[in-house]
Amino acid sequence: QVQLVESGGGLAQPGGSLRLSCAASGSFFEISIMGWYRQAPGKEREWVASISRLGKTMYEDFVKGRFTISRNNAENAVFLQMDNLKPEDTAIYYCNGLVEVAPDQGPLAYWGQGTQVTVSS
């Protein structure tokens, strides 16, 4: 069983910062892509950023220059540093990982339970 657990959400003022963490646990071979998604009230879940096992990063346009994704392969963890937060960043943030349970099996997507981020003055 693979589990992804997020932490680090909370309340921030506009222009402030928060750092999200997500750690994977359980029995698996490796995690190829790790990423972050978010879902605001009444909206569809949307992709925010991803990082490959080799450290290649990709960002959705609305967070470029403000958010930074990173990972620690040894700890099976991914992080999202969020700076210059805006009220429209308010959402539940979900960690996602493409997990190879065994070397001869294709990757499966796993999700964390989500962590609330609220940006308000």
Side-chain angles (χ1 to χ4, degrees):
Q1 186 74 6
V2 179
Q3 283 192 316
L4 300 179
V5 179
E6 302 103 333
S7 61
L11 175 65
Q13 292 188 340
S17 299
L18 285 172
R19 179 177 171 86
L20 305 183
S21 300
C22 172
S25 63
S27 178
F28 52 88
F29 176 60
E30 69 175 26
I31 305 176
S32 54
I33 306 290
M34 300 190 82
W36 292 93
Y37 289 70
R38 70 186 187 186
Q39 187 167 19
K43 294 188 176 182
E44 301 265 326
R45 187 175 299 189
E46 60 185 1
W47 170 70
V48 174
S50 295
I51 184 168
S52 73
R53 186 169 179 80
L54 296 180
K56 181 178 179 180
T57 58
M58 293 182 290
Y59 299 92
E60 181 56 269
D61 285 346
F62 51 70
V63 301
K64 282 182 180 177
R66 300 190 298 123
F67 291 9
T68 303
I69 189 170
S70 59
R71 68 187 284 175
N72 182 323
N73 291 332
E75 297 182 355
N76 295 307
V78 64
F79 311 95
L80 188 67
Q81 176 67 39
M82 305 185 293
D83 298 317
N84 192 20
L85 283 162
K86 303 177 180 181
E88 51 264 42
D89 294 320
T90 295
I92 298 174
Y93 283 71
Y94 296 91
C95 172
N96 171 271
L98 289 180
V99 181
E100 297 182 32
V101 177
D104 58 346
Q105 296 183 14
L108 296 175
Y110 287 85
W111 295 89
Q113 81 288 353
T115 185
Q116 177 70 48
V117 170
T118 302
V119 184
S120 174
S121 55

